[in-house]
Each structure stands twice: as structure tokens, then as C-alpha cells.
Amino acid sequence: MLTTVYPLCLRFAAALALTGGLALAAVAQAQQVEEKLFRLPDGEQAWSYTFSKGQPHPVLPENWIFVVAGSGCAGLQTFLPAYFRGLEGESGLTRFFILQKRGIAPADDGKQCSDAFIRQDHWSVWLADQQAWIRSQLQQAPQRPRRVILMGISEGAEVVAGLAPAVPGLTQVILLSHSGSGALDTYQSLAQRYPHMRAGWRTLQGRLREPPADPDAARIHGRSWRYWSELAAVQHLALLEQITVPVFWAYGGADGLIPDDARRKLQQNLSPARQRLWRVCEYAGADHGFHTGERSRLPDLMWQIERWLM
């Protein structure tokens, strides 16, 4: 059975309400985010972000967290390091490593994705770029970190499932705001649930049956034909079954992008041996960004991750 840690979520939420968030403020430190262009093996470049939280500890190991962000073309500059407030390095000095997709500048607002971005926005590029980035950072380490963690957010969680088998020394995986199924399986489930999505699903299915002359130029729902075709070929549940390290899976109970039966479906498809490695944190009433109304549950979630790492 998939193990839930939801009661812990409740306890921390209550603590925040009592202290007004002072517990987090006490350990939070101003973090400087380093932005650099990373040269990819084919000569292209993508923006990277690195920063650390906490202090070196004589006993606790360092956490090296490689984060794969979600879809779209918005730069991460305005979201860092605030997105990770609550994960403050109490479990050991925590280093964050993030590589953005090609074609995104740090301050891009994401309102209009360029044609160059859309052409390169697909599974095989994501996987190759992230593999090169992670390999580069680990090779530069003076010594191999004892904890190497992959964190995938939304679409990034799907990429993490593909990355996991090839990351040397991987110790933990974190999947946030993801259904636990492949992108097209999720789309189909949502189309069955929401009538307004059914026409879009039928359009996608029809278009995928007709390969275009230029799969990078042809567009379906704002993405390239190659984007959808490559995602359709990914056996996501098989990739999750290959993960042999502990997994932390968190999502909002009111996330409109996650089918109601997501947990049940994953439980049916994972072997009992793999299920024992998983911890699940569902935030009742929270949306895709872990908000309940005007309140963000992200600091609470990051605190849960910190406890799990300890």
C-alpha cells in the first residue's frame, strides 16, 4: 500500500497558524541565487540556477537536489529561492541545482512562447539536457554527495521518472503536482471527466495518427507534433516501477489536472515492493500550485520534505 504522511501535514499547518510562520522565519536565510548559462553537448545553451540553504553539519550529509521544473516558457528568476521556503537545510546543507529548458531567459514572463522554444520543447531534448546538466554538476563535486535527490514539478515529474535510472548515486525522488500517470493517459482521464476537454482530446488523437512533414513546426494545442508524439511513446508507469529508491509524492486534492482516481490507479500498477518505498502527501482543497484559496501550502509541503529527508 502507498503510505500517506497527510497527518503530518495537518500538524505542521496547525503549528504555522499558531506561530504566524515564525518557525520558518527563524531558520530562513537570505539566499543568493547564481544564474549561469550552461553549455549543452550540442553547443546550445540554457540558463541554470544554483543556491544553497543551511550550514555544513558534522554529522548530517549534504542534500544535492536537482529540480526539473514544469511546462511553459516562464523564467524562474522571480520564483527563486522563495518557492522552496520551508526546506531550509535542517536535514543537512542543501544545494539546489536547476536547469531551465532551452529558449527561456531568466526574466521571461511566459505569456508568449517563441517558435524556437516550441521547436525544442519535447521529451528527448528535456532528457538529454537534464542528463548532461546533472552529470556535469556531479563530476565537478570535490567528493560524491551522500544524498542525490531528483525533484520533478508537474511536467518535470515525468522527466524525473525518465532520468532516475541513469543518475549515479541517486538516493531519493520527489514528485510534485503530478498525476502518477503519463501525460496522455492523464489527458484521456480528464477528458472523460470534463466534457469541455473531449473535443481537444479527439483532435489530438486524430492529429497524432497523421505524421506531418515537419514534426517540429506542426502545432497541436500550442505545442509541436513531436512534443505530443514523444510523450505518447513514454511508458511512464514502467519508468516509475524502475525507481528503486524512496519516493515522496505530493499533490493537491483539488488539482484540476490530476484525475480523482490517480492514487488508486498508481497503487494498482506499482508492485508491492515499490509501493513500500512511496510516501504520499495529499493537500485537501489545494490546487495545482498547492494553494487553498489565497493561502499557499508550499512552505508546509517543503517542511514535509525536510522531515522526510531527515
Side-chain angles (χ1 to χ4, degrees):
M1 296 287 288
L2 299 175
T3 304
T4 182
V5 294
Y6 186 67
L8 290 179
C9 299
L10 283 175
R11 284 202 290 272
F12 183 59
L16 272 182
L18 290 171
T19 63
L22 293 178
L24 284 178
V27 296
Q29 302 177 31
Q31 302 298 326
Q32 182 174 357
V33 178
E34 184 176 17
E35 299 176 359
K36 280 186 177 180
L37 277 170
F38 176 69
R39 184 171 294 277
L40 297 156
D42 64 359
E44 293 290 329
Q45 293 181 314
W47 282 96
S48 68
Y49 308 82
T50 56
F51 59 97
S52 300
K53 288 190 172 191
Q55 300 294 331
H57 194 279
V59 177
L60 295 174
E62 288 189 8
N63 301 312
W64 281 40
I65 303 181
F66 291 91
V67 181
V68 184
S71 62
C73 55
L76 294 179
Q77 188 179 73
T78 59
F79 300 99
L80 300 175
Y83 184 90
F84 299 97
R85 177 175 173 260
L87 208 173
E88 304 297 336
E90 294 176 87
S91 58
L93 176 63
T94 300
R95 304 184 187 276
F96 294 84
F97 302 84
I98 309 172
L99 181 74
Q100 284 230 260
K101 293 179 179 180
R102 303 175 181 210
I104 305 177
D108 284 353
D109 61 17
K111 293 179 180 178
Q112 184 66 43
C113 299
S114 68
D115 180 70
F117 169 82
I118 296 172
R119 282 178 169 271
Q120 300 179 95
D121 184 30
H122 52 84
W123 171 266
S124 56
V125 169
W126 305 336
L127 208 62
D129 289 356
Q130 293 294 336
Q131 286 172 339
W133 163 247
I134 294 170
R135 184 168 55 248
S136 170
Q137 301 311 300
L138 290 176
Q139 288 174 348
Q140 293 176 41
Q143 59 184 22
R144 179 61 56 82
R146 284 166 54 193
R147 285 185 185 152
V148 178
I149 302 152
L150 289 177
M151 176 188 289
I153 304 168
S154 190
E155 181 186 80
E158 195 148 351
V159 183
V160 159
L163 289 171
V167 174
L170 181 68
T171 57
Q172 284 118 325
V173 168
I174 300 165
L175 307 175
L176 306 180
S177 295
H178 191 261
S179 69
S181 296
L184 269 69
D185 287 339
T186 299
Y187 194 162
Q188 183 177 28
S189 294
L190 293 175
Q192 292 169 351
R193 174 183 173 187
Y194 299 117
H196 71 276
M197 296 183 69
R198 291 171 189 166
W201 170 249
R202 289 193 295 269
T203 296
L204 176 61
Q205 291 299 99
R207 294 284 302 281
L208 284 177
R209 287 192 288 267
E210 302 172 359
D214 186 346
D216 297 315
R219 299 286 182 263
I220 310 173
H221 302 326
R223 266 106 173 180
S224 71
W225 187 93
R226 189 187 301 276
Y227 170 97
W228 293 108
S229 177
E230 290 191 355
L231 283 179
V234 174
Q235 300 297 313
H236 185 70
L237 290 170
L239 291 175
L240 293 181
E241 182 67 26
Q242 293 178 38
I243 298 176
T244 59
V245 298
V247 178
F248 185 101
W249 178 33
Y251 57 91
D255 186 341
L257 298 179
I258 295 181
D260 294 336
D261 63 347
R263 179 170 177 169
R264 179 187 59 79
K265 184 175 181 180
L266 184 61
Q267 190 164 303
Q268 289 176 343
N269 284 279
L270 281 180
S271 68
R274 294 293 180 264
Q275 289 184 38
R276 286 191 287 272
L277 295 171
W278 285 60
R279 296 294 180 268
V280 183
C281 190
E282 177 183 340
Y283 282 82
D287 62 14
H288 195 63
F290 291 100
H291 288 82
T292 53
E294 296 183 357
R295 179 186 177 191
S296 174
R297 306 300 299 277
L298 269 173
D300 184 284
L301 169 60
M302 294 298 161
W303 185 88
Q304 294 296 330
I305 294 171
E306 186 93 76
R307 303 277 76 71
W308 179 70
L309 291 174
M310 294 176 76

